[in-house]
Amino acid sequence: MSTAVDPRLLEILVCPLCKGALVYRKEAGELICKADRLAYPIKDGIPVMLEDDARKLDPAEEVAG
Amino acid sequence: MRQALGIDALTGIYARLAPRYDWQHRLITFAADQRGRKMLVEQTVREGDRVLDAGAGTGATGLLAARKAGHSGVVTLFDLSDDMLDRARDKAEIEAMDLRLEFRSGDMVQLPFKDASFDVVLSTYSLCPLYDPAKGALELYRVLRPGGKLGCAHSAEPRNRAVKWLADKVENIAWRFPWLSMGCRAVDVLPTLQKAGARVVLQKHIGVPLWPFVVFVVEKPATP
């Protein structure tokens, strides 16, 4: 069974709010929506795609990718 | 239709329910729930399919689907409750399932998937507690590829008026105990899906008279 977050993660996963593409930040364990400036956490290998659980990006925070 | 419970309330209920969900749901439905799951997986999943189990909970349906999709398939188990998904993950590990499973957490009314991502989408008893079941059903339909199949099982209102009256009284009592009702109520989403262009390929009524379920499979036309 494979439960690790792998590179194919972003193949079909999008922001639940705007349905736009996400940027995977492996080191922070987060999936970023640049349009909504939200960082969705990956907890124990499970991406949590809820607005209420997402971290709001700091206004100065740059997102590459 | 009863007012749905909020996301926070549902998360709390299912966190507590997770360890006993399988047997409690089976008991309450007189095991009709399993029949619904098997029927839908049988009718929809083929080897190699990319499957979404939306509201997968403890994986009762998703793990069945994974066995049928085989090593060339992949099943995404999606649920609001991390605790329920943890149970699903434990079950898959205990059963040593060497199959491709993915776990995602979120709200079924706002699915985090691209349009047309899946060959098969399944929802077993997960539309009933949603705050907007029709919108949830349309989300399931959106992520289904043209030519793909959507299979749902959900609570429905008894068709007999006297039984419906009695069921309503029983539900009023159950509704006071969220751990018992699990936030589930009778819903009706098929007309919404048909309006969106879905073609019905199977529709069955199962369950017991006081607690009936509708099981259906719709197909998304290959060309709109």
Side-chain angles (χ1 to χ4, degrees):
Chain A
M1 187 185 60
S2 120
T3 58
V5 176
D6 69 27
R8 289 168 308 179
L9 178 71
L10 296 177
E11 269 178 26
I12 58 168
L13 206 62
V14 293
C15 170
L17 304 182
C18 69
K19 315 296 184 198
L22 299 164
V23 176
Y24 177 31
R25 268 192 188 162
K26 198 176 175 184
E27 66 292 350
E30 287 179 334
L31 292 157
I32 313 266
C33 172
K34 288 206 267 185
D36 289 309
R37 299 202 56 81
L38 289 171
Y40 296 97
I42 299 172
K43 291 181 191 164
D44 197 18
I46 302 179
V48 180
M49 307 306 291
L50 277 171
E51 184 185 4
D52 287 351
D53 287 20
R55 179 177 69 84
K56 285 189 177 60
L57 292 188
D58 189 84
E61 203 170 333
E62 294 283 331
V63 184
Chain B
M1 190 166 63
R2 278 177 176 76
Q3 184 73 35
L5 302 175
I7 281 188
D8 288 345
L10 283 178
T11 309
I13 290 167
Y14 281 90
R16 286 191 296 276
L17 264 176
R20 62 171 193 272
Y21 172 84
D22 285 345
W23 68 259
Q24 182 176 320
H25 200 261
R26 198 174 292 200
L27 192 70
I28 287 175
T29 62
F30 295 91
D33 62 342
Q34 288 303 104
R35 270 173 54 216
R37 296 180 207 281
K38 282 180 192 155
M39 195 187 295
L40 285 177
V41 169
E42 199 102 320
Q43 294 282 334
T44 56
V45 181
R46 289 172 308 175
E47 201 172 337
D49 275 347
R50 169 140 213 151
V51 182
L52 170 67
D53 182 10
T58 58
T61 304
L63 300 186
L64 280 180
R67 280 188 203 98
K68 192 134 184 253
H71 292 279
S72 53
V74 53
V75 178
T76 302
L77 286 86
F78 180 85
D79 203 272
L80 179 65
S81 165
D82 302 348
D83 298 275
M84 295 284 276
L85 285 179
D86 281 345
R87 301 293 295 189
R89 202 143 69 159
D90 290 348
K91 274 158 72 176
E93 267 165 26
I94 289 164
E95 293 175 34
M97 288 180 71
D98 184 25
L99 297 165
R100 285 175 68 194
L101 299 171
E102 294 178 342
F103 298 85
R104 309 282 180 258
S105 173
D107 176 5
M108 258 175 77
V109 177
Q110 290 183 315
L111 287 178
F113 304 109
K114 285 181 189 166
D115 294 359
S117 290
F118 300 95
D119 300 308
V120 174
V121 177
L122 298 168
S123 157
T124 45
Y125 319 108
S126 59
L127 286 161
C128 323
L130 278 196
Y131 57 92
D132 192 339
K135 205 170 163 195
L138 288 176
E139 272 291 86
L140 301 178
Y141 195 64
R142 177 183 67 78
V143 301
L144 183 68
R145 72 161 168 81
K149 282 181 177 158
L150 164 61
C152 299
H154 63 69
S155 291
E157 291 199 329
R159 286 178 287 181
N160 178 294
R161 276 179 65 189
V163 177
K164 186 181 171 324
W165 178 86
L166 185 62
D168 212 42
K169 301 284 166 210
V170 173
E171 218 175 280
N172 276 341
I173 298 167
W175 205 249
R176 289 188 214 159
F177 307 99
W179 58 269
L180 182 64
S181 73
M182 307 187 202
C184 288
R185 69 253 210 267
V187 297
D188 186 17
V189 297
L190 195 50
T192 306
L193 289 166
Q194 286 176 293
K195 221 169 159 184
R199 194 175 65 82
V200 180
V201 291
L202 172 92
Q203 189 179 2
K204 279 203 159 111
H205 295 264
I206 61 166
V208 288
L210 207 60
W211 193 253
F213 296 117
V214 168
V215 176
F216 69 79
V217 176
V218 295
E219 196 174 64
K220 193 175 201 172
T223 46

